Amino acid sequence: MEKFGKSQAVKRTEDIRLLTGHGRYIDDIAPEGALQAFVLRAPVAHATITTLDVSEARQAEGVKLVLTAADLDEAGLDMAMRAGLVKNRDGSDAAAPKRPYLARDRIRHVGEPVAFVVAETLQQAKDAAELIELDFDELPVHMEFVQDTNAPIHEEAPDNRAYDFGLGDEEATKAAFDKAANVVRLEVGDNRVICNAMEPRGCFAEFDGKRLHVAFNGQGVWSLKSDLAKALDMPEEAIRVTTPDVGGGFGMKAAPYPEYFCAAHAARVLGQPVHWMSDRTEAMLSDHAGRDLVTMAELAFDEQNRILGYRVHTKSNLGAWNSQFGQFIQSFLFARVLTGTYDIPAAWLRAEGFYTNTTQVDAYRGAGRPEAIYVIERVMDRAARELGVDPIELRKINFIKQFPYETVSGENYDVGDFPRVLDHAIADADVAGFEARKAESEKAGKLRGIGLSYYIESILGDPSEDVKVTFDEDGGATIYVGTQSNGQGHETVFAKFLSDQSGIPLEKISFVQGDSDLIARGGGTGGSRSVTTQATVTLTAVRDMVAGLGEFLAEEMGVDPDEVRFDDERFRAEGSNVSPTMLEAAAMAREAGREDLLSWSAHTAIDARSYPNGAHFAEVEIDPETGVTEVVKYTVVDDFGNLINPMLAEGQVHGGVAQGIGQAITEHTVFDDDGQLLTATFMDYAMPRAYDMPWIGFDVEPVPSTGNPMGMKGCGEAGTVGALAAVSNAVQDALWERGVKQVDMPFTPHRMWSLMGNAGTA
Ligand code: SMO
């Protein structure tokens, strides 16, 4: 009954609902009459709190509760937010200051939560927050990614450095550089971006005297459930966490945030539902940001332009506190694909993370992998220019060609065919026609450049996932998944996958996600893991179901169990004229009182690691008069292994590329020297618009992964991973002849104009 992916581009069943305004988001499902919460946030970046007096606010009209750190301490909450820590290269531990839900004695970034006000209406909560007396002594503000003992943010890190991580072989890399014929160096900046999910964060909490229910718009319910149990000192069984429709997550919504704990505690204290919803500026101040690092990268080449060694020193901004994955992203996860798709015998990564008086930086579509690929693809491009080799040729010379291949960071690339994928992209992008297009652009007074980026991703994360399939009284089936759609189309993909594998008609399948009471476990969504893990575990459940129902049917048919086959969507046995479908077989089992055959749970722990990779070609046009940069042509060819819904994979690539173009061209996060965010509204922070997007050509060149039975590779983040360097290399190409040799995102009109001006030619 092997019946693997059918590669059908079914349209998204959830789209009618979502596109006609019938999505049910957190704000739509908060209980009628819930109390409303408002968070008083720090107005300055760094200060010692001298007075925090909430007595007047507590007396204000409609106010039910005002929480400060002192109240949470008094209530015995364990206020240490979960944060992954890395080891320093000398073996010691990274700094681990304990981040409270509400600022305790000290303010460390603008927007840090200080008090949580709960009232009958939101306006009352806001009015009461105005009555809170907050006084402080300002401290020197630290904004640079450097060691500095003058403005320490945490006692645990007196020089503001959180970690000094190392990976690879420093000595061997040095030896490689010593014998190099050529060395190419480039400093690369990776600008800070604000996630700006379409739906800001929000939650509500309710407590019935026994059980606590917290609903929030996250990327998975189980980790928050265990965090809440620990923080509130409640047994896990007493907590239910749910997630409704979610309007975008992108890694930012994967983390626990203080407001969820405050709302939960408030609901427990008050015995009434408490609802909190972020507004847009609040989101820009308090959601985890992305990227924000600078890297010095060096490549050593031999006479034949083969890479001998790669040395990288990156310095990244963690914000004011360690967040969930903050320390991991620009160190451990960066290291995963440090050397990209190239055969590099010796490499050394040094990654330092610094605290600054800014909002935390955490996962943002790709989490460390886009950052690493950005660096290697930028410096490869620079190397091609300095060595006088075609950038395509230089990549082909250095591509890994033998598989499996173990990288210096310990990744085991199982399969791949990078030259084949690149050749396909060269044809699709019509690289041969570039000079003619450039001449056309020049006629119109524009500079044109082309840029290539060849990315690889390493799909990591918890390899286990859960599924449950039930046969229901109404004659249909329900699939309960452990992953969580943030808008990617899981409802379609996983129901369709079950349908393809089991023959159950799609319209008979209901879909359930995001409820910790309805499925035992689940890893949630992140790191491009969902399709690989969820499809694999569903396959297991279907196999169990076929075996279990087959055995039952054998009795009914009067044959041996091994004579029952399941193919062409029916159970059959030689000599029997009974040939039920899966749903008919389940109905027979129900009739026979075999409840045990009506619910199928499976848990799979595969090493779901896979290595999606592909080529991006971007072409930009720059107007030297205005400095406006437009991405005018874009082509992607990906190796995603086998796809189960190519249309949705293409949608993921489009969205990912759009996110990358946004970072490269329009998005710019600006703080002033005092740590005030100057780009805290959409008037000042430019998200990419539809008209900033070119048509994106997309095709695939599949080399199936050996890491999972379906041969799939994760595709959710790949578009972003490839896009940053493709666009930047295109901009560099356009400006190189004008003498501009250092370009850094974002390529806003102002920056471009001054770059060209500085080169003395504009
Ligand atoms: S940045 Mo993602 O949710 O791994």
Side-chain angles (χ1 to χ4, degrees):
M1 54 130 317
E2 297 290 298
K3 216 178 150 191
F4 287 153
K6 287 188 169 174
S7 284
Q8 287 179 12
V10 267
K11 287 195 177 158
R12 293 163 43 127
T13 46
E14 55 267 70
D15 278 356
I16 301 272
R17 185 167 57 79
L18 297 178
L19 295 177
T20 57
H22 291 81
R24 303 283 288 158
Y25 298 92
I26 202 82
D27 230 23
D28 302 315
I29 62 162
E32 196 80 21
L35 300 172
Q36 304 295 325
F38 177 75
V39 180
L40 176 72
R41 297 183 182 277
V44 295
H46 203 189
T48 306
I49 297 175
T50 53
T51 310
L52 177 58
D53 183 352
V54 299
S55 51
E56 217 182 314
R58 284 196 171 123
Q59 303 307 315
E61 197 190 335
V63 170
K64 299 287 179 175
L65 187 71
V66 180
L67 295 172
T68 63
D71 300 307
L72 297 179
D73 283 338
E74 201 179 322
L77 254 70
D78 176 5
M79 276 214 284
M81 291 195 67
R82 184 165 47 83
L85 303 171
V86 299
K87 286 273 184 208
N88 293 319
R89 59 205 177 100
D90 66 6
S92 62
D93 292 328
K98 288 195 165 72
R99 176 183 172 198
Y101 306 133
L102 297 171
R104 207 195 252 130
D105 310 327
R106 180 99 164 255
I107 285 164
R108 291 176 170 85
H109 70 88
V110 174
E112 186 168 15
V114 174
F116 191 81
V117 184
V118 182
E120 281 165 12
T121 68
L122 182 58
Q123 195 53 53
Q124 287 171 335
K126 286 182 176 178
D127 289 346
E130 297 270 330
L131 301 173
I132 294 174
E133 197 187 333
L134 172 63
D135 288 325
F136 41 77
D137 289 336
E138 291 199 47
L139 294 165
V141 172
H142 177 75
M143 299 295 285
E144 305 296 320
F145 320 167
V146 292
Q147 284 169 278
D148 175 8
T149 51
N150 292 318
I153 297 172
H154 299 288
E155 273 173 30
E156 295 83 348
D159 59 358
N160 285 324
R161 189 170 69 179
Y163 62 79
D164 182 6
F165 172 92
L167 180 129
D169 189 332
E170 191 175 11
E171 286 308 308
T173 306
K174 187 178 178 303
F177 275 82
D178 288 345
K179 65 174 190 214
N182 289 295
V183 172
V184 176
R185 291 189 180 83
L186 185 68
E187 187 175 280
V188 187
D190 196 338
N191 48 319
R192 183 182 183 117
V193 286
I194 298 175
C195 180
N196 287 315
M198 202 181 291
E199 180 205 21
R201 290 186 302 113
C203 68
F204 70 83
E206 50 192 351
F207 184 66
D208 66 5
K210 290 199 191 75
R211 293 192 87 212
L212 174 72
H213 171 212
V214 175
F216 82 124
N217 50 11
Q219 298 182 204
V221 291
W222 285 271
S223 63
L224 183 61
K225 175 175 154 153
S226 53
D227 286 349
L228 284 165
K230 184 168 161 283
L232 302 174
D233 195 20
M234 290 173 74
E236 292 216 2
E237 312 79 72
I239 296 173
R240 176 184 177 214
V241 177
T242 62
T243 294
D245 285 328
V246 178
F250 308 108
M252 180 275 286
K253 282 192 186 145
Y257 283 88
E259 298 87 357
Y260 311 151
F261 299 87
C262 293
H265 176 68
R268 192 172 59 163
V269 168
L270 295 168
Q272 274 179 280
V274 174
H275 175 208
W276 171 76
M277 191 73 214
S278 166
D279 72 20
R280 183 58 64 184
T281 288
E282 199 176 9
M284 290 169 140
L285 290 170
S286 69
D287 293 352
H288 296 162
R291 321 297 186 222
D292 212 358
L293 61 155
V294 288
T295 304
M296 175 55 82
E298 299 170 280
L299 277 170
F301 289 89
D302 71 8
E303 303 277 358
Q304 284 74 44
N305 298 320
R306 279 191 305 251
I307 302 169
L308 297 171
Y310 183 40
R311 189 154 53 199
V312 177
H313 183 181
T314 183
K315 297 183 178 194
S316 49
N317 186 356
L318 295 172
W321 293 97
N322 298 327
S323 55
Q324 174 168 246
F325 299 123
Q327 288 199 0
F328 273 129
I329 290 167
Q330 318 302 4
S331 56
F332 182 80
L333 289 174
F334 188 108
R336 295 300 90 203
V337 292
L338 177 70
T339 49
T341 48
Y342 309 112
D343 180 13
I344 301 185
W348 167 241
L349 167 69
R350 181 176 175 202
E352 294 177 279
F354 296 93
Y355 298 116
T356 62
N357 291 115
T358 63
T359 310
Q360 285 65 242
V361 177
D362 201 289
Y364 181 77
R365 205 167 192 166
R369 278 108 353 141
E371 291 88 331
I373 294 298
Y374 184 57
V375 171
I376 182 105
E377 287 303 289
R378 286 292 311 276
V379 68
M380 280 298 278
D381 199 71
R382 167 57 62 108
R385 289 178 195 288
E386 289 190 10
L387 302 174
V389 187
D390 181 82
I392 291 171
E393 192 53 35
L394 187 65
R395 284 169 173 89
K396 286 187 172 176
I397 292 170
N398 287 289
F399 271 154
I400 294 161
K401 293 172 195 90
Q402 298 287 319
F403 295 89
Y405 178 92
E406 192 177 334
T407 70
V408 288
S409 45
E411 292 293 301
N412 219 312
Y413 295 170
D414 55 338
V415 287
D417 192 341
F418 311 140
R420 190 173 103 204
V421 175
L422 180 52
D423 282 338
H424 187 156
I426 291 166
D428 283 8
D430 184 25
V431 172
F434 173 73
E435 287 304 327
R437 293 191 292 278
K438 183 174 171 172
E440 280 302 305
S441 298
E442 277 167 3
K443 267 191 230 156
K446 306 272 182 73
L447 307 173
R448 193 176 183 114
I450 186 168
L452 161 64
S453 156
Y454 201 102
Y455 79 91
I456 188 162
E457 259 241 82
S458 166
I459 306 303
L460 299 164
D462 177 356
S464 65
E465 194 46 80
D466 285 65
V467 77
K468 184 167 77 180
V469 180
T470 59
F471 293 103
D472 308 329
E473 302 236 12
D474 66 3
T478 304
I479 179 169
Y480 301 81
V481 302
T483 50
Q484 173 68 46
S485 182
N486 287 186
Q488 304 96 320
H490 290 192
E491 200 170 321
T492 306
V493 171
F494 298 133
K496 181 67 166 69
F497 185 76
L498 174 63
S499 174
D500 286 346
Q501 300 301 321
S502 67
I504 302 170
L506 184 58
E507 62 278 10
K508 291 279 189 186
I509 298 174
S510 306
F511 175 83
V512 174
Q513 64 181 348
D515 190 332
S516 66
D517 274 5
L518 297 180
I519 183 173
R521 288 172 294 200
T525 288
S528 302
R529 69 186 291 278
S530 296
V531 166
T532 319
T533 54
Q534 198 70 67
T536 300
V537 70
T538 302
L539 203 59
T540 308
V542 171
R543 279 180 180 160
D544 292 349
M545 186 190 296
V546 166
L549 286 169
E551 199 170 324
F552 160 75
L553 287 170
E555 287 169 35
E556 300 286 304
M557 292 166 161
V559 298
D560 282 346
D562 56 12
E563 290 178 66
V564 179
R565 308 183 316 274
F566 182 74
D567 55 34
D568 203 18
E569 301 182 354
R570 285 179 182 278
F571 288 97
R572 301 172 203 274
E574 205 66 47
S576 170
N577 56 4
V578 186
S579 56
T581 64
M582 192 71 82
L583 286 178
E584 287 164 354
M588 289 165 74
R590 182 184 299 280
E591 200 135 303
R594 291 291 304 273
E595 294 290 325
D596 61 308
L597 299 177
L598 301 179
S599 177
W600 299 92
S601 293
H603 172 81
T604 305
I606 52 162
D607 183 359
R609 203 175 297 209
S610 64
Y611 300 99
N613 63 89
H616 287 220
F617 278 102
E619 287 182 34
V620 298
E621 262 188 353
I622 301 164
D623 184 336
E625 295 296 321
T626 61
V628 169
T629 301
E630 268 187 276
V631 181
V632 290
K633 184 170 165 65
Y634 207 99
T635 310
V636 182
V637 175
D638 283 311
D639 166 14
F640 286 153
N642 294 327
L643 291 168
I644 61 173
N645 188 317
M647 184 169 64
L648 292 200
E650 181 169 5
Q652 286 298 308
V653 171
H654 283 184
V657 169
Q659 215 163 335
I661 290 176
Q663 178 175 359
I665 306 275
T666 69
E667 296 182 50
H668 195 17
T669 309
V670 184
F671 291 93
D672 71 11
D673 293 342
D674 296 326
Q676 294 289 345
L677 180 64
L678 300 181
T679 51
T681 73
F682 283 147
M683 291 295 286
D684 304 299
Y685 189 94
M687 293 298 283
R689 313 292 217 282
Y691 61 72
D692 294 312
M693 293 302 128
W695 173 252
I696 298 168
F698 172 74
D699 208 346
V700 290
E701 193 65 51
V703 183
S705 167
T706 61
N708 62 82
M710 309 287 301
M712 296 183 289
K713 299 178 178 180
C715 68
E717 297 163 308
T720 315
V721 181
L724 302 177
V727 176
S728 300
N729 288 341
V731 168
Q732 178 63 88
D733 184 51
L735 296 185
W736 187 261
E737 287 165 18
R738 292 177 69 105
V740 179
K741 307 253 152 114
Q742 178 73 34
V743 301
D744 266 325
M745 303 183 293
F747 306 113
T748 55
H750 179 263
R751 175 163 301 172
M752 296 305 287
W753 195 84
S754 49
L755 271 178
M756 289 183 283
N758 286 341
T761 46

